[in-house]
Amino acid sequence: MRLSLRFLVPLLVALAAFAYAAVPFVDGMMQRWFVRDLDERSALIAYTVEEPLRQLLADATPARITAFFNRLTQDQQLYAVAYCPPGATKPIASERFPADIDCRAVDANPRSDRPATANHGSLHLTAAAIGPDIDTGGDLVVVNDTSFIASRRAETRRYLFYFFVALGAMVALITVVIAQLSWRGWVQGLRALLHGEGLWKPASVIAAPELRPFARDVRELVRELERQYRPHNGDGRIWTQETLRSALRSELRGNDVIAVSNREPYIHIKTDQGIRVQRPASGLVTALEPVMRACSGVWIAHGSGSADRDTVDRNDRVGVPPERSSYQIRRIWLTPEEEAGYYSGFSNEGLWPLCHIAHVRPTFRSSDWNYYGKINAKFAAAVAAESKTPDPIVLVQDYHFALLPQMIRERLPAATIITFWHIPWPNPEAFAICPWRDELLQGLLGSSILGFHTQFHCNNFLDTVDRLLEARVDRETFTVTRGGQTTAVRRYPISIEWPPAALAHVPTVERARKLVRERLGLPDNHKLGIGIDRLDYTKGVLERFQAIARLLEREPRWIGRFSFIQIAAPTRGTIGEYRDYFDRVGQLAQQINGQYPDARYPPIILIAEHHEPELVYEYHRAADFCFVSSLHDGMNLVAKEFVAARDDEQGVLILSRFAGASRELPEALIVNPYDADQCAAALNVALTMSPDEQRDRMRLMRSIVREFNVYRWAGRMLFDAAALRQRDRFRVDLAVPGRV
Ligand code: F6P
């Protein structure tokens, strides 16, 4: 609206100025037109009466001439008529001829074509030479009443005024409408272009074509601003495993670092060929493992592999990584009932859907809750047992352990507990449906620091505590204080190691492209998209397939020329919802492929099995684009892995706006996975994007993932922990002995 006013006010002022100048001009012109008309009319009268008047002048008395003139002036505008004989001053005139006008007032030039004129008050006199002889004859004087001109001019001025007011109103209205529409259109267009949309999409959101030439410049500008902004947002340094290690040495020298998570980083499995080590498909593990390699601490986790018991020492510990041990896994054993209640039940059927809000109802059972409490206590005991000092740094990971921080606090009051919640935190209303909401919040508030991926989730957490608990919530320092314990709530966007260790064993992009196409029996120039996920309903795999189907409907030229590889790691198979999802994903892939029986290559290639990191990176390198379509995701590290894999600076990332990663990677094609048309448009853009544009986007994303890597994630949390410990130390130092 403000924008419209900025257009409108000068426009209306200009219009008023124009009206101010135009009205007198039009008025004067009207006056001249009327007078000219009267003169012409008078000349016509003179011409018409000339002949009869000659006759009368030749043989009639002045009284008959006056009577003739009186008849002529019955027309209301023809006021009077007179004849001035040559040399006379008193005219022979009709009755109304003003007595104070004599023949000298008008004297026609007999040689001129134009009549002589004069004004007398509201009367206009026109004289035309007439007579028996043109040289010696007198003048016919026609007198018109011009008062009607004044009233018509007033009327005209009034109409002109109305006209300009109406014109002003119309112009204002049109300006407001056009300004609003075009501003929205331009902004939309500009945004769309900056997001890489706008090349093919629904008409309502097509970017203004005139913006395209500017898009590149604007993007450059945005990047420049971002570059200037980023160092202030970060701490300027590039974190590596080595800098993290030396930071730990300088800031947290001699401290115990204990990590706790449900999923272990290395799983030992019995196979026909003997015991094999597997790396689980887990974002948490991907992020924390390199950190633990740098910290050399202990990682406490559920021993879930079939050969796990065979590979631990008598303290249930095993050194990892297997090739070069740099830290210990301490395995915790769970019975099938415990696993079903604590892991499948409360964690994954209760908290997981509760926090993701992905249209699957959370299920809460008191038996699951009891197991959840029991297993949290079991891990708390393990932390206490593993701690070599009374004040270890404990890294508690994820929603499996909401009660653990407070349990550790009770056993080790001086511990620095950093809890990281890897999944979204919902709004208070959504969270409040959990029957044990208070206990969960109280448990988490045992933490010294509680971390989330995004500020949005931090805000949701504070709102939830504010709404549900008796606690002091300080929104300036982002802390919660309850029962003398303060918890800082902080944003730490998780990431991956840079460069990813697995990349060392992955073929070049060119080779990977060839290998993958050969493996799948596809031609060299076949376009490939990739999706790599645990087969979880929050990942939006069905929505992804629907977008592919939509693409083929709208752009049939891709049929047989493009395939989408979905690598789907089976997960949480004991839970019905996951088994159903597995089936539905398979059925939809089959159904879409079935629609194109004549295509030489199927649109969707579904590989439902676990892949080790090296193979995952190989697929990333082989693809033309990667599609991450999470319906809700704390961060999503697959997006970052794809970026890390592309050291050729090619490849397009299509990324759900509901994944935390979209906040850090705006150069991806950001989509709403629920909008099949929009996703199909993004797929088409990805398949047709120029190598230059791919490079521009990929270069920026790589600089972000490189700088904001997992060492920085861990480093910032551990630095914050060191600062807290320092502060606590000062608090003790300043206490006066003996004073209560
Ligand atoms: O996203 C939360 C999370 O814990 C991730 O860290 C990990 O990707 C996933 O869940 C692992 O699930 P699970 O351990 O149940 O297989």
Side-chain angles (χ1 to χ4, degrees):
M1 193 59 200
R2 232 194 271 147
L3 186 87
S4 310
L5 278 181
R6 256 186 257 149
F7 275 120
L8 209 54
V9 171
L11 199 74
L12 290 178
V13 170
L15 202 62
F18 178 68
Y20 186 74
V23 171
F25 174 76
V26 173
D27 190 34
M29 201 165 67
M30 297 274 299
Q31 162 88 2
R32 282 193 299 278
W33 279 351
F34 276 124
V35 170
R36 200 181 62 203
D37 283 356
L38 286 178
D39 288 342
E40 280 171 7
R41 187 176 126 116
S42 301
L44 191 67
I45 292 171
Y47 175 75
T48 314
V49 303
E50 187 175 357
E51 196 49 46
L53 185 60
R54 272 178 202 266
Q55 298 268 322
L56 286 170
L57 286 172
D59 49 31
T61 62
R64 277 197 52 212
I65 297 172
T66 301
F68 172 63
F69 285 164
N70 281 343
R71 277 203 306 279
L72 282 178
T73 56
Q74 275 163 9
D75 176 341
Q76 55 161 250
Q77 281 174 12
L78 186 57
Y79 188 76
V81 180
Y83 174 68
C84 289
T89 53
K90 194 161 170 43
I92 305 167
S94 61
E95 273 168 11
R96 281 187 292 184
F97 193 83
D100 55 341
I101 298 180
D102 67 23
C103 290
R104 283 165 305 186
V106 279
D107 191 8
N109 178 355
R111 309 235 168 257
S112 167
D113 289 346
R114 301 182 64 80
T117 61
N119 290 317
H120 184 82
S122 66
L123 300 178
H124 180 75
L125 286 67
T126 312
I130 203 164
D133 180 306
I134 195 112
D135 290 325
T136 56
D139 293 335
L140 178 71
V141 181
V142 178
V143 183
N144 282 292
D145 181 0
T146 59
S147 54
F148 81 98
I149 297 181
S151 70
R152 287 201 187 156
R153 278 170 63 195
E155 219 170 303
T156 307
R157 276 197 300 270
R158 199 167 58 244
Y159 284 133
L160 266 178
F161 174 75
Y162 292 149
F163 170 75
F164 275 109
V165 169
L167 185 67
M170 287 250 295
V171 167
L173 188 72
I174 293 170
T175 308
V176 170
V177 172
I178 291 178
Q180 291 291 329
L181 290 180
S182 66
W183 175 248
R184 262 185 231 152
W186 274 60
V187 169
Q188 238 178 34
L190 196 55
R191 262 195 215 138
L193 273 172
L194 288 173
H195 281 135
E197 300 162 8
L199 299 178
W200 177 73
K201 59 182 148 180
S204 60
V205 289
I206 282 181
E210 66 271 26
L211 281 172
R212 285 187 189 148
F214 303 123
R216 211 184 166 88
D217 295 347
V218 176
R219 241 186 264 138
E220 263 311 311
L221 185 69
V222 170
R223 281 171 199 158
E224 191 45 46
L225 288 171
E226 276 181 358
R227 253 175 246 135
Q228 287 173 18
Y229 165 76
R230 275 166 184 167
H232 299 292
N233 191 22
D235 52 15
R237 69 166 99 181
I238 296 290
W239 286 80
T240 61
Q241 189 165 10
E242 199 34 57
T243 50
L244 178 62
R245 210 174 268 147
S246 63
L248 287 173
R249 270 200 299 271
S250 62
E251 302 290 324
L252 293 164
R253 193 164 350 124
N255 285 293
D256 257 355
V257 178
I258 303 171
V260 187
S261 74
N262 172 68
R263 187 63 62 202
E264 56 182 343
Y266 295 91
I267 305 175
H268 290 93
I269 300 177
K270 286 184 188 151
T271 68
D272 295 342
Q273 291 78 43
I275 292 177
R276 197 167 64 80
V277 181
Q278 193 183 71
R279 306 273 304 274
S282 156
L284 180 161
V285 167
T286 308
L288 201 62
E289 205 278 332
V291 174
M292 286 308 285
R293 267 189 269 136
C295 295
S296 311
V298 179
W299 185 330
I300 304 175
H302 170 209
S304 57
S306 51
D308 274 359
R309 283 179 196 265
D310 305 329
T311 44
V312 292
D313 63 16
R314 61 194 167 88
N315 295 314
D316 296 329
R317 294 205 196 108
V318 57
V320 286
E323 60 283 0
R324 187 160 164 264
S325 161
S326 57
Y327 68 95
Q328 302 278 311
I329 297 179
R330 158 75 195 275
R331 286 180 170 144
I332 303 290
W333 313 115
L334 304 182
T335 64
E337 295 74 30
E338 286 173 340
E339 191 176 344
Y342 136 85
Y343 171 75
S344 302
F346 195 74
S347 298
N348 288 324
E349 288 188 280
L351 288 180
W352 181 269
L354 178 77
C355 291
H356 279 91
I357 317 184
H359 314 292
V360 168
R361 253 178 91 113
T363 305
F364 295 111
R365 305 178 195 93
S366 11
S367 55
D368 292 343
W369 169 247
N370 291 338
Y371 277 118
Y372 188 80
K374 186 174 164 205
I375 300 308
N376 272 244
K378 199 178 217 178
F379 275 80
V383 171
E386 289 298 331
S387 177
K388 298 184 205 76
T389 59
D391 61 347
I393 295 175
V394 187
L395 306 173
V396 176
Q397 304 298 307
D398 232 347
Y399 59 100
H400 310 92
F401 297 115
L403 301 179
L404 185 57
Q406 185 54 32
M407 290 175 171
I408 298 174
R409 173 79 51 227
E410 281 157 16
R411 287 169 174 265
L412 299 166
T416 302
I417 305 167
I418 308 174
T419 304
F420 194 80
W421 194 263
H422 288 257
I423 61 176
W425 189 277
N427 60 55
E429 292 73 23
F431 186 78
I433 66 169
C434 176
W436 298 282
R437 60 198 196 176
D438 292 1
E439 289 85 340
L440 293 169
L441 291 174
Q442 284 159 15
L444 285 169
L445 291 176
S447 315
S448 318
I449 299 176
L450 175 57
F452 296 93
H453 293 299
T454 67
Q455 192 57 44
F456 184 63
H457 298 148
C458 294
N459 298 348
N460 275 352
F461 180 79
L462 281 202
D463 290 346
T464 309
V465 173
D466 213 4
R467 190 78 61 83
L468 302 179
L469 280 194
E470 284 287 334
R472 200 172 77 235
V473 174
D474 185 335
R475 289 177 191 272
E476 209 174 310
T477 55
F478 256 77
T479 54
V480 179
T481 306
R482 190 173 170 279
Q485 159 70 35
T486 297
T487 304
V489 178
R490 296 275 181 275
R491 179 181 86 99
Y492 301 106
I494 205 167
S495 196
I496 55 171
E497 64 179 328
W498 187 278
L503 268 187
H505 313 288
V506 177
T508 61
V509 168
E510 214 180 312
R511 181 97 190 101
R513 285 180 71 90
K514 212 169 160 27
L515 278 175
V516 167
R517 282 168 179 75
E518 270 171 21
R519 188 179 306 142
L520 300 173
L522 302 169
D524 281 353
N525 60 353
H526 197 72
K527 291 273 187 188
L528 277 186
I530 184 82
I532 301 179
D533 306 84
R534 285 183 309 105
L535 210 36
D536 192 301
Y537 52 82
T538 61
K539 302 295 178 188
V541 179
L542 292 173
E543 287 72 9
R544 199 176 299 172
F545 288 179
Q546 266 142 9
I548 290 161
R550 192 85 186 97
L551 169 79
L552 299 180
E553 270 167 41
R554 297 182 63 153
E555 294 283 336
R557 66 191 163 123
W558 293 119
I559 298 167
R561 292 180 53 214
F562 148 75
S563 299
F564 187 79
I565 307 173
Q566 177 63 52
I567 293 182
T571 182
R572 305 176 187 171
T574 54
I575 302 171
E577 197 69 49
Y578 283 80
R579 288 196 302 273
D580 285 356
Y581 195 69
F582 187 95
D583 294 344
R584 284 164 61 205
V585 165
Q587 281 157 13
L588 186 59
Q590 253 180 21
Q591 180 194 319
I592 293 170
N593 287 344
Q595 281 168 13
Y596 304 98
D598 302 330
R600 291 193 62 187
Y601 306 102
I604 295 175
I605 299 170
L606 177 61
I607 309 175
E609 55 192 58
H610 173 81
H611 285 60
E612 289 297 313
E614 287 73 14
L615 211 48
V616 165
Y617 278 105
E618 188 177 296
Y619 276 106
H620 279 320
R621 286 193 157 181
D624 295 290
F625 69 85
C626 172
F627 192 2
V628 173
S629 54
S630 309
L631 304 182
H632 204 179
D633 217 331
M635 174 55 72
N636 194 291
L637 294 183
V638 172
K640 294 188 175 181
E641 284 172 344
F642 175 69
V643 169
R646 301 314 297 255
D647 47 14
D648 62 332
E649 297 182 335
Q650 291 294 294
V652 182
L653 175 62
I654 304 175
L655 180 55
S656 162
R657 63 175 67 250
F658 306 123
S662 67
R663 314 282 157 110
E664 289 182 85
L665 303 173
E667 295 83 8
L669 299 180
I670 305 293
V671 294
N672 172 357
Y674 292 96
D675 183 344
D677 280 310
Q678 191 196 45
C679 291
L683 287 166
N684 192 56
V685 171
L687 286 166
T688 52
M689 189 180 285
S690 73
D692 276 356
E693 188 172 348
Q694 292 185 38
R695 179 167 305 110
D696 283 356
R697 289 169 181 269
M698 186 53 83
R699 205 172 269 173
L700 273 159
M701 291 193 286
R702 284 175 64 80
S703 75
I704 288 294
V705 179
R706 176 171 153 265
E707 184 180 344
F708 290 77
N709 60 36
V710 76
Y711 300 114
R712 185 175 180 282
W713 171 75
R716 278 192 51 219
M717 279 196 300
L718 292 168
F719 270 24
D720 287 352
L724 277 185
R725 289 160 86 87
Q726 197 80 339
R727 229 172 289 152
D728 284 350
R729 210 165 294 145
F730 278 125
R731 209 169 18 228
V732 173
D733 287 348
L734 291 174
V736 180
R739 188 181 292 173
V740 183

